[in-house]
Amino acid sequence: MEHKNRQKHLVIFQPSGRRGHIDEGETILEASQEMGVDLESVCGGRATCGKCKVRIGEGSLKKYRIDSRREHLSPIEDTEKKFVTKHQELDGYRLACAARIYGDVVVFVPEESRTAKQIVCKPATKRAFDLKPAVRKCYVELAPATLDNPAADWERLQAELTKRFGLRNLTIDYQVLLSLQEAIRRGDWKITASVWMDREVIKAEPRFRERGYGVAVDIGTTTVAAYLCDLTTGEVVATESAMNPQVLYGEDVMSRISYAMENKKGLKTLNRVIVKQLNQLVREAAVQAGIKLGDILDMTVVGNTCMHHLFVGINPEYLGRAPFSPSLHHSLDVKARDLGLNIAEGAYVHALPIEAGFVGADNVGVLIAEEPYKQDKMLLIIDIGTNGELVLGNQDKLICSSCATGPAFEGANIKYGTRAAPGAIEKVEIDPDSKEVRLKVIGKTGWHTSLDTPGANGICGSGIFDAIAQMFLAGILQKSGRFNLDLKTPRLRTTEGQLEFVIAWANQTSIGHDITVSQADVRAVQLAKASMYAGVKLMVHRLGVKKLDKVILAGAFGSYIDKKSAMIIGLFPDCALENVYAVGNAAGDGARIALLNVDKRKEANEVARKVQYIELTTDADFERQFVQAMHFPHMEDGFPHLKQLLG
Ligand code: FES
């Protein structure tokens, strides 16, 4: 119902980025329904199921130009307290169906409150490498202590480990030492020691224990993925992923740096939420694999430099200021317990090295997975995420850079953008003559026309790429990205002063209204892709490269996009399409490889220092390249491999 005289307030939902002005007094649940945000409401909003829990952002969030306050909602009711614990209440949790809006708010919808669980966007890719984990299990049988030989337990274990495994100068974790006597006696002097890097005993278990596990984590700006691996077989036994909860405090790296700088407890908050999320993912993965958290003996982490710093608790302030230097380049080994992570008590976390302020451990992960430094072909690696990272080169020279693409490629900040979950439009085809649209929707089989009712609820990143590429090929969009106003089709229209093209009519959706791609959506994609393309062009010039032999699209999103659509909109320069590969989450693969092979950790440190970082945004030519790259596919550059399509 519309309330004409009511005051309106700005509501921004995260991680979808959907924003809108909502009548005062409406509930958050009503707002989510109006804005097509995916939110559970099993009891239909009667505050009896507790499924609609959301978290309210607190503070002045510059990036969104909003002052979000918990007091901007109606006071918490007794009915809510049945589902919202005291701890959660302090953390800003509310039931969306009970909390009424009386001021501007940012609302974060946690994974468990979304109707559709995200499909695992970052599945592990099969890659070949030697199994040589940092932790090995060493079983020994000790001679029991006697009055004649009363040597101490630790020295006894140390001597046996030297004798059997050649391990010298071993140390023992303090907490493990505290329980060593007990473990030895419970095992009747038979014990399995888990030894880290041939240096330190990080776990001691009675009797023979063969299996040990490790977890590789990729902390993306928008998504976090965890791969639980069996250290004895290298097999991935469970994969879990979720949104990065820091999204609530800023959707990109710069806004998180600002949040950490401008809020007294900013760094602490950002660190706390990511550690909490990782603990949850690891717990879920352990349950899935049927193991105990204490069986997890090692962890490797990749992420861009800002995510890395926030995770380990380092102030990211200097990443946001020239010369943008990180706190450290080298890899880092920290006790998991010191970071607040609940795995084996003595276990370490290994954070991969960092290349530069804006090219982080995630890119090093991509490098050790793809190994461009061992190839003679000229390779371009594009890691598509909220923060795009680029690598160009081969065995002779490697350069890297980064560009702020924003979350548009992940479906956020696009009016009907959504995650790659059931109901999302993932593929689009447009007939160049009739301008009729065919869709593919996640969770529904086959293609759908306007006569079908596939129940779409939004468009995910790959759908947006397809939609824009197809709109361009069908003459709906001009090279400049503007809509072609000469077109006569009811799908092209103006709503609230904004031109938009209807991708799915209301009868094809589950949200009760049309799903469109607006001029602002097209602009958001243009800005992101132009930033990428301009970056690549400058790098190509720096290396004097004539042509690209191979383009690798990395990043979970990269494996879903249609490479032809990506080239049509001009995400990267011309290349034979058969030489464009989507390799999935290569950063996560790199974390997994480093988890399972210590030599790769060494290689990672070497390559991180070898690859040369190029700052592109300060390049005098960046602006010009960027403007040219705003066009589809480009203002001037030829695309011989698309000749047939582009005419
Ligand atoms: S919808 Fe059931 S408690 Fe809110």
Side-chain angles (χ1 to χ4, degrees):
M1 197 199 323
E2 197 167 334
H3 305 276
K4 286 209 173 73
N5 301 322
R6 282 207 212 159
Q7 208 184 330
K8 288 192 182 280
H9 301 291
L10 176 61
V11 179
I12 301 176
F13 282 96
Q14 287 296 9
S16 66
R18 290 205 182 159
R19 52 163 64 216
H21 286 90
I22 296 296
D23 282 329
E24 179 163 285
E26 277 194 20
T27 64
I28 293 177
L29 182 63
E30 285 165 343
S32 75
Q33 287 160 347
E34 256 170 58
M35 289 155 71
V37 172
D38 152 39
L39 179 57
E40 278 276 20
S41 60
V42 176
C43 69
R46 285 192 290 273
T48 54
C49 71
K51 295 280 183 226
C52 63
K53 259 184 229 169
V54 291
R55 192 153 158 244
I56 310 304
E58 178 78 2
S60 183
L61 300 163
K62 236 195 195 162
K63 166 84 187 173
Y64 309 126
R65 293 189 296 278
I66 187 171
D67 186 28
S68 170
R69 300 277 158 203
R70 290 169 192 166
E71 316 80 91
H72 290 173
L73 297 177
S74 53
I76 190 157
E77 295 172 12
D78 285 344
T79 39
E80 286 181 74
K81 290 187 179 166
K82 272 194 233 151
F83 304 102
V84 178
T85 63
K86 197 79 212 146
H87 190 69
Q88 286 179 323
E89 191 185 330
L90 290 173
D91 238 9
Y93 278 88
R94 295 294 303 267
L95 286 189
C97 63
R100 293 189 180 277
I101 299 160
Y102 291 99
D104 297 348
V105 276
V106 176
V107 179
F108 181 72
V109 184
E111 188 77 30
E112 59 277 14
S113 300
R114 295 178 208 150
T115 34
K117 185 123 171 106
Q118 182 162 33
I119 57 163
V120 177
C121 275
K122 297 189 163 185
T125 313
K126 280 202 159 50
R127 289 179 190 270
F129 53 90
D130 293 337
L131 190 60
K132 196 179 170 193
V135 178
R136 60 161 152 159
K137 293 219 149 194
C138 304
Y139 171 72
V140 286
E141 296 183 3
L142 306 175
T146 59
L147 283 173
D148 295 336
N149 181 8
D153 291 354
W154 166 234
E155 279 71 17
R156 200 174 282 267
L157 175 60
Q158 236 179 349
E160 201 60 27
L161 288 170
T162 305
K163 195 165 118 199
R164 290 289 172 93
F165 297 94
L167 296 167
R168 290 174 199 285
N169 304 321
L170 280 178
T171 58
I172 183 165
D173 177 80
Y174 168 65
Q175 293 296 336
V176 177
L177 177 67
L178 298 186
S179 56
L180 183 65
Q181 286 188 303
E182 195 51 34
I184 288 179
R185 279 157 189 82
R186 268 203 293 132
D188 197 18
W189 301 89
K190 298 177 185 67
I191 192 154
T192 303
S194 297
V195 182
W196 176 77
M197 300 295 278
D198 289 349
R199 291 212 295 264
E200 180 182 330
V201 173
I202 57 158
K203 186 167 176 146
E205 297 163 278
R207 288 177 285 275
F208 178 64
R209 299 290 167 92
E210 189 191 3
R211 292 257 184 261
Y213 297 84
V215 63
V217 172
D218 171 22
I219 307 177
T221 314
T222 308
T223 316
V224 188
Y227 309 101
L228 181 64
C229 303
D230 184 330
L231 295 178
T232 46
T233 62
E235 194 196 336
V236 179
V237 292
T239 303
E240 288 289 339
S241 72
M243 284 288 163
N244 184 333
Q246 294 172 341
V247 164
L248 182 60
Y249 306 95
E251 66 204 359
D252 55 28
V253 163
M254 282 316 288
S255 47
R256 283 186 216 166
I257 294 174
S258 309
Y259 185 83
M261 282 165 63
E262 288 160 14
N263 294 276
K264 219 168 103 208
K265 292 188 181 157
L267 170 61
K268 237 184 170 165
T269 305
L270 292 170
N271 172 264
R272 183 173 49 84
V273 297
I274 189 62
V275 168
K276 193 171 165 195
Q277 181 67 78
L278 284 190
N279 274 329
Q280 187 179 332
L281 284 185
V282 172
R283 199 166 45 242
E284 285 167 2
V287 169
Q288 207 192 109
I291 64 160
K292 293 197 201 85
L293 287 172
D295 295 331
I296 301 175
L297 304 170
D298 199 10
M299 184 187 270
T300 49
V301 175
V302 297
N304 62 51
T305 312
C306 180
M307 296 308 109
H308 168 285
H309 280 30
L310 292 174
F311 165 63
V312 296
I314 297 173
N315 187 350
E317 184 176 344
Y318 300 104
L319 298 178
R321 290 192 200 162
F324 315 108
S325 28
S327 169
L328 83 164
H329 281 297
H330 206 270
S331 60
L332 184 67
D333 293 302
V334 191
K335 284 280 176 189
R337 62 176 180 245
D338 291 345
L339 294 174
L341 291 164
N342 306 323
I343 56 175
E345 214 170 5
Y348 279 92
V349 174
H350 177 87
L352 268 77
I354 287 168
E355 289 166 39
F358 283 101
V359 187
D362 52 348
N363 199 252
V364 178
V366 173
L367 290 179
I368 60 167
E370 289 303 320
E371 302 180 328
Y373 45 86
K374 293 183 182 167
Q375 302 185 32
D376 54 4
K377 294 233 180 305
M378 186 47 67
L379 220 75
L380 169 68
I381 303 176
I382 303 180
D383 193 353
I384 309 168
T386 309
N387 185 50
E389 289 172 350
L390 304 164
V391 177
L392 180 71
N394 56 18
Q395 59 197 10
D396 299 326
K397 186 160 173 113
L398 271 185
I399 58 174
C400 69
S401 194
S402 75
C403 43
T405 46
F409 287 164
E410 310 208 23
N413 277 5
I414 297 286
K415 191 168 176 200
Y416 290 100
T418 188
R419 299 167 309 124
I425 297 171
E426 57 165 344
K427 282 194 177 303
V428 176
E429 271 184 12
I430 302 177
D431 185 288
D433 301 320
S434 66
K435 316 298 178 210
E436 269 313 292
V437 179
R438 290 187 343 128
L439 315 165
K440 256 190 168 178
V441 172
I442 299 180
K444 307 278 167 168
T445 41
W447 286 89
H448 300 273
T449 65
S450 53
L451 301 174
D452 305 329
T453 51
N457 57 20
I459 319 175
C460 66
S462 62
I464 289 158
F465 262 62
D466 270 12
I468 292 183
Q470 291 286 310
M471 282 157 71
F472 173 59
L473 289 181
I476 299 159
L477 283 175
Q478 298 171 315
K479 210 172 155 62
S480 65
R482 290 203 191 90
F483 278 106
N484 174 4
L485 298 177
D486 296 335
L487 217 63
K488 297 284 167 275
T489 161
R491 287 184 181 264
L492 183 60
R493 66 188 190 194
T494 303
T495 303
E496 292 173 3
Q498 171 103 243
L499 275 165
E500 59 182 17
F501 184 80
V502 180
I503 294 293
W505 296 108
N507 69 323
Q508 296 180 282
T509 74
S510 61
I511 53 174
H513 47 85
D514 305 337
I515 291 177
T516 61
V517 172
S518 70
Q519 188 71 76
D521 297 337
V522 177
R523 279 281 173 256
V525 170
Q526 278 181 290
L527 289 170
K529 77 100 184 174
S531 170
M532 220 42 138
Y533 194 103
V536 174
K537 272 296 283 289
L538 293 177
M539 290 170 78
V540 161
H541 287 161
R542 295 264 179 116
L543 274 197
V545 172
K546 295 269 172 300
K547 74 173 185 59
L548 301 171
D549 294 323
K550 201 168 160 188
V551 174
I552 292 178
L553 302 175
F557 174 57
S559 39
Y560 290 97
I561 55 170
D562 181 87
K563 56 188 184 182
K564 196 158 74 190
S565 292
M567 201 144 104
I568 291 168
I569 70 161
L571 184 68
F572 50 86
D574 187 64
C575 181
L577 273 174
E578 62 272 24
N579 292 331
V580 180
Y581 301 88
V583 294
N585 181 20
D589 289 344
R592 206 160 43 91
I593 292 168
L595 176 74
L596 298 170
N597 184 316
V598 274
D599 293 342
K600 280 290 198 175
R601 297 187 187 187
K602 220 168 118 220
E603 197 172 302
N605 273 313
E606 285 161 9
V607 70
R609 299 317 317 133
K610 192 174 153 195
V611 58
Q612 189 194 340
Y613 177 71
I614 312 265
E615 180 56 53
L616 296 174
T617 43
T618 52
D619 190 300
D621 202 26
F622 184 82
E623 204 55 41
R624 190 179 68 90
Q625 291 294 350
F626 182 80
V627 170
Q628 292 195 344
M630 282 289 282
H631 287 67
F632 293 133
H634 190 270
M635 188 192 264
E636 289 178 351
D637 291 356
F639 281 77
H641 291 98
L642 292 178
K643 207 159 177 227
Q644 260 191 327
L645 284 168
L646 300 177

